[in-house]
Amino acid sequence: IVYTGGTTGAPKGVELTNKNIITMMIGVKNVEDGYDHTQTIMNILPPGIAFYYNAVVGFMGLGTTVDMISHFTLDNYPFILDRHKPNVAMEGPILFEKTQKSNAIEDGSYKKSSISGGDKLSKEKEREYIEYCEEHNIGTPVHQGWGLSECGAVATYTATRNYKEGTIGVPLANYTIGIFEYRTGKELRYGEIGEICICSDANMKGYLDNPEATEHVFKKHDDGKVWLHTDDLGVMDEEGRLYYKGRVKRMLTRAGNKVWLEEIEALVSEKATIDKCRCETLRDEEENEVPVLH
């Protein structure tokens, strides 16, 4: 049992079975040809969350050596990274930024793979970090992934062979992913934004002692299969790559049109004068709600 805010925001226990974890391990084992017993991965994640099992059990299934870090801070993370010199590291935008701003790494040739997850990595930040990697002999590209506790932590991954800027990857082996109208079984076309849903043996047994929350996320579609509804929005291209568009709660309707707050942030972030920005919803008497940029 691991704990998460889940798709509804309230803390819940996620029941993961042996079958869930093994399905996840099989998926991880097929993502990249270069992960094997000759490599080490550094794990900084605690065992109370599902992503720990992805970083530890999943990579042990590949035969890699897992280097466990019991404690770290954001400021000392780059120095821990350079001291342990792992071939693979499960990271994310905040850790990338801390590494770039530190003077910890002179030659990062030991690091063959940077895996990004846990938060959205914008195209601009992805380019910046790849440039940093090239300057410091760190392997590229950045391998983005996406998933949630309810499906064993990981569901998509960007392997070197299918890398494309901005994507969060393609579904792992034994994972079927579709884009549907929110909370319905109507599947959308390539290029259309909708709710990301997962059909897989990696999907959790349910939320511990919470049948109402479990029923909220599991829906039986017309194909007879039970799908996990994630409350995450995405779009899939014709080659099967998935692009993350944010949480459903970060969407609003204005003048009859859907407005995606993360799309506004991405557009503004392209400006050279903007370092960071955040778009939020403000209640409005005339339009009900409007986007406000900070």
Side-chain angles (χ1 to χ4, degrees), residues 25 28 35-46 51-70 84-90:
M25 288 176 63
V28 172
Y35 297 149
D36 57 34
H37 66 279
T38 66
Q39 296 189 327
T40 59
I41 175 173
M42 189 177 81
N43 173 61
I44 59 173
L45 301 170
F51 299 91
Y52 167 91
Y53 294 94
N54 172 221
V56 177
V57 180
F59 274 83
M60 284 172 65
L62 300 175
T64 63
T65 297
V66 180
D67 198 355
M68 308 287 284
I69 307 299
S70 61
H84 288 265
K85 294 181 168 45
N87 303 127
V88 186
M90 305 279 278

Side-chain angles (χ1 to χ4, degrees), residues 20-291:
N20 298 154
I21 298 296
I22 291 170
T23 301
M24 179 272 293
M25 288 176 63
I26 293 171
V28 172
K29 192 170 180 62
N30 285 278
V31 296
E32 198 82 67
D33 298 331
Y35 297 149
D36 57 34
H37 66 279
T38 66
Q39 296 189 327
T40 59
I41 175 173
M42 189 177 81
N43 173 61
I44 59 173
L45 301 170
I49 61 174
F51 299 91
Y52 167 91
Y53 294 94
N54 172 221
V56 177
V57 180
F59 274 83
M60 284 172 65
L62 300 175
T64 63
T65 297
V66 180
D67 198 355
M68 308 287 284
I69 307 299
S70 61
H71 176 74
F72 80 101
T73 66
L74 289 176
D75 288 332
N76 72 10
Y77 172 80
F79 300 93
I80 292 176
L81 182 70
D82 197 53
R83 184 167 71 247
H84 288 265
K85 294 181 168 45
N87 303 127
V88 186
M90 305 279 278
E91 300 171 283
I94 294 176
L95 297 179
F96 290 158
E97 185 175 333
K98 286 292 183 180
T99 301
Q100 285 172 260
K101 291 182 177 180
S102 75
N103 295 316
I105 299 176
E106 293 184 7
D107 181 9
S109 56
Y110 55 84
K111 193 178 175 197
K112 308 299 181 185
S113 180
S114 299
I115 299 177
S116 180
D119 197 3
K120 183 177 180 180
L121 181 65
S122 68
K123 285 186 178 181
E124 293 71 28
K125 295 299 181 183
E126 183 178 357
R127 288 192 207 109
E128 287 179 13
Y129 189 66
I130 287 177
E131 290 175 3
Y132 172 86
C133 289
E134 291 172 345
E135 293 170 357
H136 292 79
N137 300 319
I138 299 173
T140 57
V142 173
H143 302 284
Q144 289 204 61
W146 169 86
L148 58 163
S149 301
E150 290 84 347
C151 71
V154 60
T156 69
Y157 179 82
T158 305
T160 303
R161 60 181 176 274
N162 56 43
Y163 172 77
K164 191 172 184 178
E165 185 182 86
T167 180
I168 55 174
V170 299
L172 301 186
N174 300 327
Y175 288 66
T176 301
I177 291 180
I179 307 297
F180 294 85
E181 279 190 353
Y182 182 61
R183 291 292 148 186
T184 77
K186 182 183 177 182
E187 191 166 12
L188 301 179
R189 298 176 181 271
Y190 293 124
E192 293 182 334
I193 297 177
E195 185 179 16
I196 306 171
C197 296
I198 305 169
C199 185
S200 172
D201 284 337
N203 288 347
M204 67 174 180
K205 179 180 178 181
Y207 292 120
L208 181 66
D209 299 328
N210 198 334
E212 289 184 3
T214 301
E215 187 177 344
H216 175 75
V217 297
F218 282 128
K219 302 292 181 184
K220 191 171 185 178
H221 290 187
D222 292 340
D223 58 10
K225 298 177 181 178
V226 176
W227 291 74
L228 174 67
H229 285 246
T230 67
D231 272 355
D232 276 342
L233 298 169
V235 59
M236 186 175 287
D237 66 20
E238 293 187 0
E239 294 179 313
R241 294 187 183 91
L242 195 64
Y243 296 82
Y244 183 73
K245 296 299 181 181
R247 299 290 285 168
V248 170
K249 68 178 71 174
R250 302 207 67 220
M251 177 196 77
L252 59 89
T253 300
R254 194 177 191 190
N257 297 308
K258 290 182 174 62
V259 177
W260 317 97
L261 302 188
E262 295 201 18
E263 292 284 292
I264 296 175
E265 293 168 352
L267 184 65
V268 173
S269 295
E270 293 179 0
K271 305 293 183 182
T273 53
I274 302 296
D275 181 34
K276 292 180 181 178
C277 68
R278 176 76 175 183
C279 195
E280 293 293 348
T281 299
L282 182 70
R283 303 299 296 178
D284 182 78
E285 290 186 5
E286 291 186 10
E287 297 191 50
N288 189 34
E289 53 187 11
V290 294

